Amino acid sequence: MEINLYAVPGYFEVTGESIEDKQVQIVKAIKQVVKIPVSVKMSLFYTNPLNFIKKVDEAGADGYVLFNRFFQPEIDIEKEEYFYPWELSNPKDHMVGLRYAGLLYGNVEGSVCISRGIYDANDVIKMLLAGADVVQMVSTIYRNSPSVVSDILMDINKWMDDKGYKSLDDFRGKLSRKSMKDPFAYQRAQYVDILTKSEDIFKKYPMV
């Protein structure tokens, strides 16, 4: 069972702590009345998503889907009114989820699922290397038809054969924070590295 936690505060006096406490209580209440596994699909909009996931983990959640993709209101400037555009996720939308898969691996009891922007086998493999247990794919199926799933599975199997891996567990979490020699790989401000290598970057993306 997947529950979707998302709150849009409409009042200035509502605190982040009160929102989190209410959502944790929701998870506890659901776990008390159902016997099936409960997965929490959550947003990135917490002061510290890791802390909140830990709270939900302690409340008994069995898994976490990271992260929600919300339909945001848009404005039509000709009609001068709101509308809700229907847009699929983009291929690079998975990058935030990758970071949190790497940070969460080995630190929570529940399983970690990465959602948004998973388009091909390379994306799936990246998530598994970071530490994800599973992924969710929707947009790539809309764009490329359901047959893309078979292609992705075949490409993953080929990559595993080339690398000599017999199972997903052979490489799951290999590049997580817990497994890497550099403990800050998922935390530091990578833009510093980019700035120090700016000449190489501009060669690849020349400014017009």
Side-chain angles (χ1 to χ4, degrees), residues 187-207:
Q187 292 176 266
R188 66 185 176 210
Q190 284 90 344
Y191 72 89
V192 175
D193 291 336
I194 293 174
L195 290 176
T196 60
K197 302 172 184 176
S198 59
E199 290 185 4
D200 294 333
I201 298 296
F202 289 134
K203 287 178 181 177
K204 186 175 181 180
Y205 302 103
M207 298 180 68

PDB file of all heavy atoms in Angstrom, residues 187-207:
ATOM      1  N   GLN A 187      27.350  14.782  -0.254  1.00  0.00           N
ATOM      2  CA  GLN A 187      27.006  15.947   0.551  1.00  0.00           C
ATOM      3  C   GLN A 187      27.655  17.243   0.090  1.00  0.00           C
ATOM      4  O   GLN A 187      27.068  18.297   0.183  1.00  0.00           O
ATOM      5  CB  GLN A 187      27.411  15.699   2.011  1.00  0.00           C
ATOM      6  CG  GLN A 187      26.596  14.617   2.687  1.00  0.00           C
ATOM      7  CD  GLN A 187      27.089  14.351   4.090  1.00  0.00           C
ATOM      8  OE1 GLN A 187      27.900  13.467   4.309  1.00  0.00           O
ATOM      9  NE2 GLN A 187      26.616  15.117   5.032  1.00  0.00           N
ATOM     10  N   ARG A 188      28.894  17.164  -0.366  1.00  0.00           N
ATOM     11  CA  ARG A 188      29.618  18.400  -0.644  1.00  0.00           C
ATOM     12  C   ARG A 188      29.000  19.160  -1.810  1.00  0.00           C
ATOM     13  O   ARG A 188      28.270  18.616  -2.624  1.00  0.00           O
ATOM     14  CB  ARG A 188      31.084  18.091  -0.935  1.00  0.00           C
ATOM     15  CG  ARG A 188      31.300  17.287  -2.208  1.00  0.00           C
ATOM     16  CD  ARG A 188      32.755  16.928  -2.370  1.00  0.00           C
ATOM     17  NE  ARG A 188      32.940  16.071  -3.552  1.00  0.00           N
ATOM     18  CZ  ARG A 188      33.892  15.160  -3.642  1.00  0.00           C
ATOM     19  NH1 ARG A 188      34.701  14.971  -2.642  1.00  0.00           N
ATOM     20  NH2 ARG A 188      34.012  14.436  -4.745  1.00  0.00           N
ATOM     21  N   ALA A 189      29.341  20.422  -1.907  1.00  0.00           N
ATOM     22  CA  ALA A 189      28.817  21.267  -2.985  1.00  0.00           C
ATOM     23  C   ALA A 189      29.621  20.997  -4.256  1.00  0.00           C
ATOM     24  O   ALA A 189      30.719  21.506  -4.431  1.00  0.00           O
ATOM     25  CB  ALA A 189      28.912  22.742  -2.599  1.00  0.00           C
ATOM     26  N   GLN A 190      29.082  20.162  -5.130  1.00  0.00           N
ATOM     27  CA  GLN A 190      29.833  19.760  -6.313  1.00  0.00           C
ATOM     28  C   GLN A 190      30.143  20.917  -7.250  1.00  0.00           C
ATOM     29  O   GLN A 190      31.005  20.805  -8.105  1.00  0.00           O
ATOM     30  CB  GLN A 190      29.059  18.672  -7.087  1.00  0.00           C
ATOM     31  CG  GLN A 190      29.127  17.305  -6.453  1.00  0.00           C
ATOM     32  CD  GLN A 190      28.005  17.059  -5.459  1.00  0.00           C
ATOM     33  OE1 GLN A 190      27.354  18.004  -5.027  1.00  0.00           O
ATOM     34  NE2 GLN A 190      27.793  15.815  -5.078  1.00  0.00           N
ATOM     35  N   TYR A 191      29.465  22.044  -7.066  1.00  0.00           N
ATOM     36  CA  TYR A 191      29.742  23.164  -7.959  1.00  0.00           C
ATOM     37  C   TYR A 191      31.165  23.665  -7.782  1.00  0.00           C
ATOM     38  O   TYR A 191      31.749  24.268  -8.693  1.00  0.00           O
ATOM     39  CB  TYR A 191      28.739  24.299  -7.742  1.00  0.00           C
ATOM     40  CG  TYR A 191      28.909  25.068  -6.460  1.00  0.00           C
ATOM     41  CD1 TYR A 191      29.743  26.177  -6.393  1.00  0.00           C
ATOM     42  CD2 TYR A 191      28.217  24.686  -5.319  1.00  0.00           C
ATOM     43  CE1 TYR A 191      29.893  26.868  -5.210  1.00  0.00           C
ATOM     44  CE2 TYR A 191      28.364  25.374  -4.136  1.00  0.00           C
ATOM     45  CZ  TYR A 191      29.207  26.462  -4.078  1.00  0.00           C
ATOM     46  OH  TYR A 191      29.363  27.166  -2.908  1.00  0.00           O
ATOM     47  N   VAL A 192      31.781  23.410  -6.607  1.00  0.00           N
ATOM     48  CA  VAL A 192      33.170  23.797  -6.395  1.00  0.00           C
ATOM     49  C   VAL A 192      34.068  23.011  -7.346  1.00  0.00           C
ATOM     50  O   VAL A 192      34.986  23.553  -7.962  1.00  0.00           O
ATOM     51  CB  VAL A 192      33.588  23.557  -4.927  1.00  0.00           C
ATOM     52  CG1 VAL A 192      35.084  23.852  -4.754  1.00  0.00           C
ATOM     53  CG2 VAL A 192      32.767  24.430  -3.993  1.00  0.00           C
ATOM     54  N   ASP A 193      33.803  21.706  -7.472  1.00  0.00           N
ATOM     55  CA  ASP A 193      34.567  20.892  -8.419  1.00  0.00           C
ATOM     56  C   ASP A 193      34.378  21.388  -9.843  1.00  0.00           C
ATOM     57  O   ASP A 193      35.318  21.418 -10.636  1.00  0.00           O
ATOM     58  CB  ASP A 193      34.123  19.425  -8.332  1.00  0.00           C
ATOM     59  CG  ASP A 193      34.528  18.776  -7.017  1.00  0.00           C
ATOM     60  OD1 ASP A 193      35.499  19.262  -6.404  1.00  0.00           O
ATOM     61  OD2 ASP A 193      33.881  17.804  -6.612  1.00  0.00           O
ATOM     62  N   ILE A 194      33.141  21.768 -10.148  1.00  0.00           N
ATOM     63  CA  ILE A 194      32.850  22.258 -11.500  1.00  0.00           C
ATOM     64  C   ILE A 194      33.625  23.537 -11.785  1.00  0.00           C
ATOM     65  O   ILE A 194      34.203  23.718 -12.861  1.00  0.00           O
ATOM     66  CB  ILE A 194      31.335  22.491 -11.668  1.00  0.00           C
ATOM     67  CG1 ILE A 194      30.595  21.150 -11.611  1.00  0.00           C
ATOM     68  CG2 ILE A 194      31.046  23.206 -12.981  1.00  0.00           C
ATOM     69  CD1 ILE A 194      29.095  21.282 -11.621  1.00  0.00           C
ATOM     70  N   LEU A 195      33.681  24.433 -10.791  1.00  0.00           N
ATOM     71  CA  LEU A 195      34.391  25.697 -10.983  1.00  0.00           C
ATOM     72  C   LEU A 195      35.884  25.481 -11.198  1.00  0.00           C
ATOM     73  O   LEU A 195      36.511  26.164 -12.009  1.00  0.00           O
ATOM     74  CB  LEU A 195      34.170  26.611  -9.773  1.00  0.00           C
ATOM     75  CG  LEU A 195      32.754  27.186  -9.599  1.00  0.00           C
ATOM     76  CD1 LEU A 195      32.662  27.979  -8.300  1.00  0.00           C
ATOM     77  CD2 LEU A 195      32.369  28.065 -10.786  1.00  0.00           C
ATOM     78  N   THR A 196      36.452  24.520 -10.474  1.00  0.00           N
ATOM     79  CA  THR A 196      37.888  24.272 -10.621  1.00  0.00           C
ATOM     80  C   THR A 196      38.224  23.598 -11.945  1.00  0.00           C
ATOM     81  O   THR A 196      39.380  23.575 -12.356  1.00  0.00           O
ATOM     82  CB  THR A 196      38.413  23.396  -9.464  1.00  0.00           C
ATOM     83  OG1 THR A 196      37.721  22.142  -9.466  1.00  0.00           O
ATOM     84  CG2 THR A 196      38.222  24.100  -8.128  1.00  0.00           C
ATOM     85  N   LYS A 197      37.201  23.052 -12.603  1.00  0.00           N
ATOM     86  CA  LYS A 197      37.403  22.397 -13.899  1.00  0.00           C
ATOM     87  C   LYS A 197      36.640  23.129 -14.998  1.00  0.00           C
ATOM     88  O   LYS A 197      36.223  22.534 -15.975  1.00  0.00           O
ATOM     89  CB  LYS A 197      36.939  20.943 -13.823  1.00  0.00           C
ATOM     90  CG  LYS A 197      37.649  20.118 -12.750  1.00  0.00           C
ATOM     91  CD  LYS A 197      37.000  18.750 -12.594  1.00  0.00           C
ATOM     92  CE  LYS A 197      37.636  17.953 -11.463  1.00  0.00           C
ATOM     93  NZ  LYS A 197      36.940  16.660 -11.236  1.00  0.00           N
ATOM     94  N   SER A 198      36.484  24.432 -14.823  1.00  0.00           N
ATOM     95  CA  SER A 198      35.631  25.209 -15.731  1.00  0.00           C
ATOM     96  C   SER A 198      36.109  25.184 -17.174  1.00  0.00           C
ATOM     97  O   SER A 198      35.302  25.198 -18.109  1.00  0.00           O
ATOM     98  CB  SER A 198      35.533  26.661 -15.244  1.00  0.00           C
ATOM     99  OG  SER A 198      36.826  27.252 -15.181  1.00  0.00           O
ATOM    100  N   GLU A 199      37.426  25.112 -17.378  1.00  0.00           N
ATOM    101  CA  GLU A 199      37.928  25.098 -18.756  1.00  0.00           C
ATOM    102  C   GLU A 199      37.436  23.860 -19.501  1.00  0.00           C
ATOM    103  O   GLU A 199      37.046  23.944 -20.672  1.00  0.00           O
ATOM    104  CB  GLU A 199      39.456  25.135 -18.753  1.00  0.00           C
ATOM    105  CG  GLU A 199      40.028  26.478 -18.286  1.00  0.00           C
ATOM    106  CD  GLU A 199      41.541  26.514 -18.413  1.00  0.00           C
ATOM    107  OE1 GLU A 199      42.119  25.532 -18.939  1.00  0.00           O
ATOM    108  OE2 GLU A 199      42.133  27.517 -17.999  1.00  0.00           O
ATOM    109  N   ASP A 200      37.444  22.720 -18.826  1.00  0.00           N
ATOM    110  CA  ASP A 200      36.948  21.488 -19.449  1.00  0.00           C
ATOM    111  C   ASP A 200      35.450  21.568 -19.705  1.00  0.00           C
ATOM    112  O   ASP A 200      34.954  21.080 -20.728  1.00  0.00           O
ATOM    113  CB  ASP A 200      37.263  20.283 -18.558  1.00  0.00           C
ATOM    114  CG  ASP A 200      38.757  20.036 -18.435  1.00  0.00           C
ATOM    115  OD1 ASP A 200      39.486  20.418 -19.370  1.00  0.00           O
ATOM    116  OD2 ASP A 200      39.166  19.465 -17.409  1.00  0.00           O
ATOM    117  N   ILE A 201      34.742  22.177 -18.767  1.00  0.00           N
ATOM    118  CA  ILE A 201      33.286  22.312 -18.917  1.00  0.00           C
ATOM    119  C   ILE A 201      32.956  23.170 -20.122  1.00  0.00           C
ATOM    120  O   ILE A 201      32.084  22.829 -20.934  1.00  0.00           O
ATOM    121  CB  ILE A 201      32.660  22.926 -17.648  1.00  0.00           C
ATOM    122  CG1 ILE A 201      32.894  22.011 -16.438  1.00  0.00           C
ATOM    123  CG2 ILE A 201      31.172  23.178 -17.860  1.00  0.00           C
ATOM    124  CD1 ILE A 201      32.228  20.665 -16.533  1.00  0.00           C
ATOM    125  N   PHE A 202      33.655  24.299 -20.280  1.00  0.00           N
ATOM    126  CA  PHE A 202      33.342  25.210 -21.385  1.00  0.00           C
ATOM    127  C   PHE A 202      33.753  24.639 -22.739  1.00  0.00           C
ATOM    128  O   PHE A 202      33.214  25.021 -23.778  1.00  0.00           O
ATOM    129  CB  PHE A 202      34.007  26.570 -21.166  1.00  0.00           C
ATOM    130  CG  PHE A 202      33.370  27.362 -20.059  1.00  0.00           C
ATOM    131  CD1 PHE A 202      34.143  28.008 -19.102  1.00  0.00           C
ATOM    132  CD2 PHE A 202      31.986  27.453 -19.967  1.00  0.00           C
ATOM    133  CE1 PHE A 202      33.548  28.732 -18.083  1.00  0.00           C
ATOM    134  CE2 PHE A 202      31.389  28.175 -18.949  1.00  0.00           C
ATOM    135  CZ  PHE A 202      32.168  28.815 -18.003  1.00  0.00           C
ATOM    136  N   LYS A 203      34.715  23.702 -22.733  1.00  0.00           N
ATOM    137  CA  LYS A 203      35.061  23.034 -23.983  1.00  0.00           C
ATOM    138  C   LYS A 203      33.909  22.144 -24.433  1.00  0.00           C
ATOM    139  O   LYS A 203      33.624  22.021 -25.629  1.00  0.00           O
ATOM    140  CB  LYS A 203      36.335  22.191 -23.799  1.00  0.00           C
ATOM    141  CG  LYS A 203      37.608  23.008 -23.698  1.00  0.00           C
ATOM    142  CD  LYS A 203      38.800  22.088 -23.477  1.00  0.00           C
ATOM    143  CE  LYS A 203      40.080  22.897 -23.343  1.00  0.00           C
ATOM    144  NZ  LYS A 203      41.263  22.024 -23.065  1.00  0.00           N
ATOM    145  N   LYS A 204      33.253  21.527 -23.446  1.00  0.00           N
ATOM    146  CA  LYS A 204      32.125  20.635 -23.768  1.00  0.00           C
ATOM    147  C   LYS A 204      30.877  21.438 -24.082  1.00  0.00           C
ATOM    148  O   LYS A 204      30.072  21.039 -24.933  1.00  0.00           O
ATOM    149  CB  LYS A 204      31.875  19.710 -22.585  1.00  0.00           C
ATOM    150  CG  LYS A 204      30.809  18.645 -22.854  1.00  0.00           C
ATOM    151  CD  LYS A 204      30.705  17.686 -21.678  1.00  0.00           C
ATOM    152  CE  LYS A 204      29.649  16.603 -21.968  1.00  0.00           C
ATOM    153  NZ  LYS A 204      29.529  15.654 -20.830  1.00  0.00           N
ATOM    154  N   TYR A 205      30.696  22.571 -23.371  1.00  0.00           N
ATOM    155  CA  TYR A 205      29.506  23.414 -23.580  1.00  0.00           C
ATOM    156  C   TYR A 205      29.971  24.847 -23.880  1.00  0.00           C
ATOM    157  O   TYR A 205      29.904  25.724 -23.023  1.00  0.00           O
ATOM    158  CB  TYR A 205      28.626  23.406 -22.344  1.00  0.00           C
ATOM    159  CG  TYR A 205      28.173  22.039 -21.926  1.00  0.00           C
ATOM    160  CD1 TYR A 205      28.766  21.369 -20.842  1.00  0.00           C
ATOM    161  CD2 TYR A 205      27.130  21.383 -22.601  1.00  0.00           C
ATOM    162  CE1 TYR A 205      28.351  20.109 -20.483  1.00  0.00           C
ATOM    163  CE2 TYR A 205      26.728  20.119 -22.224  1.00  0.00           C
ATOM    164  CZ  TYR A 205      27.329  19.480 -21.155  1.00  0.00           C
ATOM    165  OH  TYR A 205      26.920  18.230 -20.775  1.00  0.00           O
ATOM    166  N   PRO A 206      30.472  25.084 -25.087  1.00  0.00           N
ATOM    167  CA  PRO A 206      30.985  26.423 -25.437  1.00  0.00           C
ATOM    168  C   PRO A 206      29.877  27.476 -25.394  1.00  0.00           C
ATOM    169  O   PRO A 206      28.746  27.220 -25.783  1.00  0.00           O
ATOM    170  CB  PRO A 206      31.528  26.228 -26.852  1.00  0.00           C
ATOM    171  CG  PRO A 206      30.769  25.065 -27.406  1.00  0.00           C
ATOM    172  CD  PRO A 206      30.534  24.158 -26.228  1.00  0.00           C
ATOM    173  N   MET A 207      30.233  28.636 -24.890  1.00  0.00           N
ATOM    174  CA  MET A 207      29.274  29.734 -24.831  1.00  0.00           C
ATOM    175  C   MET A 207      29.212  30.421 -26.185  1.00  0.00           C
ATOM    176  O   MET A 207      30.241  30.657 -26.833  1.00  0.00           O
ATOM    177  CB  MET A 207      29.684  30.748 -23.752  1.00  0.00           C
ATOM    178  CG  MET A 207      29.696  30.147 -22.353  1.00  0.00           C
ATOM    179  SD  MET A 207      30.174  31.349 -21.101  1.00  0.00           S
ATOM    180  CE  MET A 207      28.750  32.437 -21.164  1.00  0.00           C
TER     181      MET A 207
END
